[in-house]
Amino acid sequence: MAKTAFIGLGVMGFPMAGHLTKGGHSVTVYNRTPAKADQWQAEYGGDAAPTPRQAAQGADFVFTCVGNDDDLRSVVLGEDGALSGMAGGAVFVDHTTASADVARELFEAARAKGIDAIDAPVSGGQAGAENGALTVMCGGEPAAFERAKPVIDCFARACRLMGPAGAGQLTKMVNQICIAGLVQGLSEGMNFGLKAGLDMTTVIDVISKGAAQSWQMDNRAQTMCDGKFDFGFAVDWMRKDLGIAIEEARRNGARLPVAALVDQFYAQVQARGGNRWDTSSLIQLLMND
Ligand SMILES: NC(=O)c1ccc[n+]([C@@H]2O[C@H](COP(=O)([O-])OP(=O)(O)OC[C@H]3O[C@@H](n4cnc5c(N)ncnc54)[C@H](OP(=O)(O)O)[C@@H]3O)[C@@H](O)[C@H]2O)c1
C-alpha cells in the first residue's frame, strides 16, 4: 500500500481522497480552507497537514485537484508547494482540468527534481467521484503511469495513458468541446418540444432509445425541462475549460465555431447569475427569450 497526499478537497477531491483510504492507502490531505480538511479527517480518518509541502513529505504519490492553472501553480510550486516536499522517485498526479502548457511546465519542474509527473484530468462529475467511477485521461511517461495507475484505479472506472505530458489535458479538451455543442443541441430539442406542447417525459423516454441518445440526454434532459439547474457541473468551470480549449485551438489551427459560440451563451448564463448552475442551464436562455 502506498503513502499518498491529496491536495484540494473540493467537490471532486474530497471523495477521491476518500477512495484512496478505502483502497488501503495512507492519505495526508491539505486544503486551503482547513475546515474542509477537518471534515475529511472526521469522515475518513487520515492525516491533515498545514501546507502542501508538509502534506507531500515522504509520499510515494501526491495528487492535486484544484481549480485552474494559477491555483495549481500556487499549491505545487514555491517554498510551501508540493514539489518542495517531495523526494526524487515519487510521482505527482494532477487531476485539475488545466492547460496543456501548465501540465508541461509542471512536468519539467518535477523532472528537474527527479520526480515523475502525470497530468490526469477526469470526467464523470461529482457522482463519478463519489462512486469511484471516474474516467481519467493521462499524459506523461509510460513507466510513471504504470506505477500510478493501480492507485488512481481506487476512484477510476477507466484510466488511460494518452501520450506525453499535456496529452491528458488535450484529451479533456476534446471531451469538453464535444459536450458544448451537444448540450446546446439538447437544449434546442427540449425547448422545441416544450413549445410544441409535447409530453417531454415521454419524448425523452422514446428518443433516448434511438440515435439521439447521449449521457446528457440520460442525465440532464428531464431536469432541463423541469428548469432545475442548482447542481452538477458549474457554468464557471465550463467557461474555464472552453477558454483553455479555444486558446489551444488558436495554436493548433483547429476551428471551433460551435464551441466558441456556446462559450458566449454560457457568458449570458453567467450574466443572469448562473455561475454555479449546471451546464444544462443553456436551455434557460431559450426558454426565457
Ligand atoms: N465538479 C465537477 O463535476 C468536475 C468534473 C470534472 C472535472 N472537474 C475539475 O476538477 C477541478 C476541481 O473541481 P471541483 O468541482 O472539485 O472544484 P471545487 O469544489 O471548487 O474545489 C476546488 C478545490 O481547490 C482548492 N483551491 C482552489 N484554488 C486554490 C488555491 N489558489 N490554493 C489552494 N487551493 C485552492 C479549493 O480550496 P478551498 O476549499 O479552500 O476553496 C478546493 O479544495 C476543476 O479543475 C474542475 O474543472 C470538476
Side-chain angles (χ1 to χ4, degrees):
M1 291 297 111
K3 188 166 165 17
T4 71
F6 205 108
I7 294 160
L9 302 173
V11 167
M12 302 297 284
F14 193 100
M16 289 163 79
H19 282 292
L20 292 177
T21 58
K22 288 182 200 159
H25 302 293
S26 79
V27 185
T28 301
V29 295
Y30 164 81
N31 197 68
R32 177 179 58 182
T33 307
K36 264 195 228 167
D38 295 344
Q39 195 190 334
W40 187 90
Q41 273 189 294
E43 202 166 325
Y44 297 107
D47 294 320
T51 65
R53 179 174 60 80
Q54 284 162 286
Q57 262 158 4
D60 306 308
F61 299 92
V62 175
F63 298 88
T64 47
C65 189
V66 294
N68 59 27
D69 285 19
D70 287 342
D71 301 332
L72 189 53
R73 288 191 184 95
S74 78
V75 295
V76 176
L77 303 173
E79 209 175 301
D80 279 332
L83 281 185
S84 72
M86 291 174 74
V91 185
F92 167 68
V93 181
D94 174 43
H95 293 299
T96 310
T97 303
S99 68
D101 278 351
V102 79
R104 293 182 198 111
E105 177 189 326
L106 297 184
F107 178 87
E108 292 303 335
R111 188 157 69 171
K113 303 191 72 188
I115 296 164
D116 286 305
I118 299 171
D119 50 296
V122 301
S123 173
Q126 182 173 359
E130 288 171 353
N131 298 327
L134 292 169
T135 296
V136 188
M137 302 151 252
C138 299
E141 297 292 331
F145 172 77
E146 290 305 329
R147 282 170 62 206
K149 186 177 180 301
V151 189
I152 295 173
D153 278 344
C154 290
F155 44 75
R157 181 172 56 189
C159 177
R160 291 278 292 274
L161 182 64
M162 309 307 299
Q169 296 297 353
L170 292 170
T171 305
K172 174 75 182 183
M173 290 174 214
V174 175
N175 188 76
Q176 300 307 74
I177 292 163
C178 293
I179 289 174
L182 200 149
V183 175
Q184 177 62 18
L186 187 58
S187 298
E188 291 181 17
M190 294 303 107
N191 185 56
F192 176 93
L194 288 166
K195 293 259 193 304
L198 292 168
D199 173 357
M200 291 310 290
T201 303
T202 312
V203 171
I204 295 162
D205 188 49
V206 170
I207 69 172
S208 65
K209 295 180 179 68
Q213 187 274 341
S214 65
W215 184 96
Q216 297 291 338
M217 182 173 284
D218 289 348
N219 293 280
R220 296 290 188 265
Q222 191 62 56
T223 46
M224 286 163 94
C225 293
D226 297 342
K228 291 185 186 149
F229 310 112
D230 197 13
F231 67 102
F233 186 62
V235 165
D236 278 354
W237 280 151
M238 188 56 159
R239 286 217 73 206
K240 166 186 67 95
D241 295 358
L242 290 175
I244 290 168
I246 290 164
E247 182 66 30
E248 187 68 38
R250 273 198 199 102
R251 275 195 294 264
N252 72 16
R255 293 175 62 241
L256 298 177
V258 173
L261 181 61
V262 172
D263 179 54
Q264 289 305 299
F265 291 156
Y266 280 127
Q268 279 176 268
V269 176
Q270 287 176 318
R272 292 182 181 196
N275 301 62
R276 298 296 295 187
W277 292 350
D278 183 65
T279 44
S280 57
S281 54
L282 280 177
I283 194 173
Q284 250 256 350
L285 301 176
L286 302 170
M287 280 173 157
N288 296 335
D289 277 351

